[in-house]
C-alpha cells in the first residue's frame, strides 16, 4: 500500500528550499519562551540565526512584549545588555541610545542631550510579537506584514478552550532532524520501545501507512498494524517488551491506542484523517482520543533548536484539575521527559545527508515535499508583492 518508489539519491538536492533552510524557514511565527519568563529585564534570544532582544514594557511585568534586533547600530553592543529608562523604550547600556519599542525609532540619545540631531534618523529593526498558549511568539519574515498568528497555529487551538501543559528545552542539532524525527514513522516503534511511556501505550512492530494531505497538514494514515512479525531465519519479534499489553482494537485512526475511551468532542470534530500530522514550519501534531500532543521545532541556528512540547486537553472548569494531575504527575516526566530524551539523543547524533532511505521514510519525503511546495509558493507571493526573500545565512 505504500505508493511510489523512493529516490535512490543520497543528497537533499531534490529539495533546494529545504536544503537551504538549515537555519529555518522565514515567514512564520515561532514560540521562543514562556510568557512568565519575559519581564522588564531584556532577554536575548537567537531565532533563525538572528540575535533578538525581547522585553516586556512597563511596570509590574504585565506590559506588552516587544522584540528588536539585538545590536545597537551605534557601536554594535547588544541592547539586551541595557535596560528601560523611559516607558515604551529600551536604552543601550553604552551611550544611552534609546529606541521606541514599537517602532524601533531612535527617540533619544541620553549622552547627547534632548536636541540630539541624530534622533529620528535611525530606526532599529523590530519583530512582531504575540502571546498564545502561555508563550511568547516572534515572527521572522522578509519585511512583509506578519499574517495573524491564529492563521498559523493548529486550527483546533484557536477558538476552543484548552488546558495546556508545555515544556521548552534548548537542544543541540539541526531543527530539520528534530522535525523529521518527530514525523519519522519507524522510530516510534523501535527507538521508543524502551521508553517508560510504553507502559501505557502498546505499539505495533510495523504499519502499512499512507500519507495524505488535507489543507496545510500531511497525515500518516495507518491502514494496518502488525503487532508481531516473523523474520525468516531469525525468529519472532513482538513489540510488547515491557508488558504483555493486549493489542487494542483499532476503531479509529485517532491515536494508536484505539478505543479505550470516548473521543473528546473537540478532537472528534476535527475528523483528522490520521493520528500523526506535520505542518510548516515544523509542527508535529499527535492526536490521541482525549488530548493532542504538539511539538514545535524552533530553529535557533543551523546547529541548535528549541524543542517545544505542548499537551492540550480541551476541558474546562473543574475538569482541568485531573489534567494538571495527569500532566504534572507523569506526562511531563515520561512523555515530554524520558520519551522525548530518546528523540533528543537521535537528533544530536544524526548525520545526514548522505542517506539511504527505506520504505517507511516516505513520511520524510512527503514532509520535505510539503516544505518545498509551500516555500516555493511563498517566494512567488513575496516577489509579486515586491519583497526580496532573504537567502539563508552564509
Ligand atoms: Fe549603543 Fe553606543 S553602542 S549607544
Amino acid at each position: 500500500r505504500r505508493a511510489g518508489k523512493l529516490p535512490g539519491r543520497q543528497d537533499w538536492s531534490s529539495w533546494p528550499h529545504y536544503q537551504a533552510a538549515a537555519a529555518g524557514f522565514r515567514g512564520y511565527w515561532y514560540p521562543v519562551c514562556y510568557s512568565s519568563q519575559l519581564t522588564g529585564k531584556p532577554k536575548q534570544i537567537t531565532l533563525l540565526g538572528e540575535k533578538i532582544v525581547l522585553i516586556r514594557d512597563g511596570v509590574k511585568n504585565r506590559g506588552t512584549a516587544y522584540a528588536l534586533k539585538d545590536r545597537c547600530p551605534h557601536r554594535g553592543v547588544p541592547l539586551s545588555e541595557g535596560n528601560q529608562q523611559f516607558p515604551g523604550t529600551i536604552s543601550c547600556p553604552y551611550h544611552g541610545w534609546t529606541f521606541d519599542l514599537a517602532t524601533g525609532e531612535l527617540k533619544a540619545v541620553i549622552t547627547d542631550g534632548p536636541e540630539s540631531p541624530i534622533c529620528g534618523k535611525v530606526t532599529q529593526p523590530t519583530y512582531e510579537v504575540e502571546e498564545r498558549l502561555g508563550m511568547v511568539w516572534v515572527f521572522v519574515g522578509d519585511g512583509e506584514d506578519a499574517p495573524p498568528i491564529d492563521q498559523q497555529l493548529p486550527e483546533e487551538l484557536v477558538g476552543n478552550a484548552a488546558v495546556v501543559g508545555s515544556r521548552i528545552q534548548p537542544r543541540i542539532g539541526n531543527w530539520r532532524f528534530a522535525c523529521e524525527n518527530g514525523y519519522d514513522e519507524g522510530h516510534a516503534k523501535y527507538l521508543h520501545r524502551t521508553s517508560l511511556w510504553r507502559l501505557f501505550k502498546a505499539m505495533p512492530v510495523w504499519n502499512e501507512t499512507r500519507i495524505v494531505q488535507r489543507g496545510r497538514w500531511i497525515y500518516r494514515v495507518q491502514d494496518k498494524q502488525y503487532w508481531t512479525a516473523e523474520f525468516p531465519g531469525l525468529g519472532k519479534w513482538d513489540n510488547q517488551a515491557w508488558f504483555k499489553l493486549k493489542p487494542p482494537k483499532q476503531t479509529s485512526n485517532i491515536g494508536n491506542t484505539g478505543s479505550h475511551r470516548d473521543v473528546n468532542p473537540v478532537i472528534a470534530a476535527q475528523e483528522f484523517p490520521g493520528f500523526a500530522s506535520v505542518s510548516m514550519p515544523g509542527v508535529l501534531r499527535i492526536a490521541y482520543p482525549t488530548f493532542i500532543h504538539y511539538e514545535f521545532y524552533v530553529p535557533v541556528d543551523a546547529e541548535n533548536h528549541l524543542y517545544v512540547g505542548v499537551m492540550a486537553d480541551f476541558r474546562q472548569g473543574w475538569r482541568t484539575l485531573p489534567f494538571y494531575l495527569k500532566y504534572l504527575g507523569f506526562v511531563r516526566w515520561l512523555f515530554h521527559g524520558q520519551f522525548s530524551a530518546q528523540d533528543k539523543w537521535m537528533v544530536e547524533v544524526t548525520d545526514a545527508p548522505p542517506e539511504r532511505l527505506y520504505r517507511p521514510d516516505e513520511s520524510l519525503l512527503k514532509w520535505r515535499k510539503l516544505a518545498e511546495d509551500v516555500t516555493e509558493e511563498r517566494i512567488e507571493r513575496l516577489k509579486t508583492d515586491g519583497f526580496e526573500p532573504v537567502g539563508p545565512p552564509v
Side-chain angles (χ1 to χ4, degrees), residues 153-162 216-217 219 266-267 270 272 277 285 292 294 312 314:
L153 287 175
E155 302 84 336
E156 65 281 1
L157 289 176
V158 180
N160 288 310
R216 58 194 168 100
W217 296 83
Y219 296 81
V266 173
I267 297 173
Q270 308 305 315
F272 295 126
S277 48
R285 173 170 65 191
I292 303 182
Y294 304 87
F314 300 90

Side-chain angles (χ1 to χ4, degrees), residues 72-77 79 92-99 109 111:
C72 179
H74 178 216
R75 302 290 310 284
V77 163
L79 293 178
C92 177
Y94 207 174
H95 311 94
W97 285 34
T98 299
F99 302 92
V109 175
T111 52

Side-chain angles (χ1 to χ4, degrees), residues 171-342:
R171 290 189 175 176
I172 294 167
N174 189 259
W175 74 273
R176 291 169 301 191
F177 295 158
C179 185
E180 293 182 348
N181 168 80
Y183 197 55
D184 173 322
E185 179 176 348
H187 90 292
K189 288 149 197 91
Y190 192 74
L191 172 68
H192 293 311
R193 73 194 182 284
T194 55
S195 73
L196 294 170
W197 181 251
R198 284 284 316 283
L199 291 172
F200 305 93
K201 307 282 175 200
M203 283 186 194
V205 178
W206 66 289
N207 302 319
E208 286 180 27
T209 302
R210 277 174 299 137
I211 312 287
V212 300
Q213 180 164 5
R214 200 181 71 190
R216 58 194 168 100
W217 296 83
I218 54 170
Y219 296 81
R220 282 198 337 239
V221 181
Q222 300 184 340
D223 287 320
K224 194 152 181 221
Q225 300 183 315
Y226 295 87
W227 298 90
T228 183
E230 185 75 36
F231 293 92
L234 295 174
K236 192 174 148 204
W237 204 81
D238 71 32
N239 212 354
Q240 311 308 310
W242 284 76
F243 259 64
K244 287 287 170 199
L245 292 171
K246 261 176 84 182
K249 280 195 213 112
Q250 188 73 8
T251 55
S252 83
N253 228 309
I254 296 177
N256 57 1
T257 51
S259 61
H260 66 95
R261 265 170 293 173
D262 291 340
V263 179
N264 173 281
V266 173
I267 297 173
Q270 308 305 315
E271 297 183 353
F272 295 126
F275 90 104
S277 48
V278 71
S279 183
M280 284 288 275
V283 184
L284 179 74
R285 173 170 65 191
I286 309 289
Y288 289 99
T290 57
F291 64 92
I292 303 182
H293 166 76
Y294 304 87
E295 295 184 5
F296 298 84
Y297 310 104
V298 180
V300 171
D301 54 30
E303 279 89 39
N304 299 277
H305 65 285
L306 273 190
Y307 165 85
V308 180
V310 174
M311 179 180 170
D313 198 321
F314 300 90
R315 324 183 194 206
Q316 291 177 64
W318 68 269
R319 288 171 194 275
T320 56
L321 197 61
F323 168 84
Y324 283 120
L325 291 176
K326 181 172 152 184
Y327 182 74
L328 293 173
F330 66 93
V331 171
R332 181 173 177 83
W333 314 107
L334 296 192
F335 197 19
H336 289 179
Q338 188 248 4
F339 178 99
S340 176
Q342 296 180 325

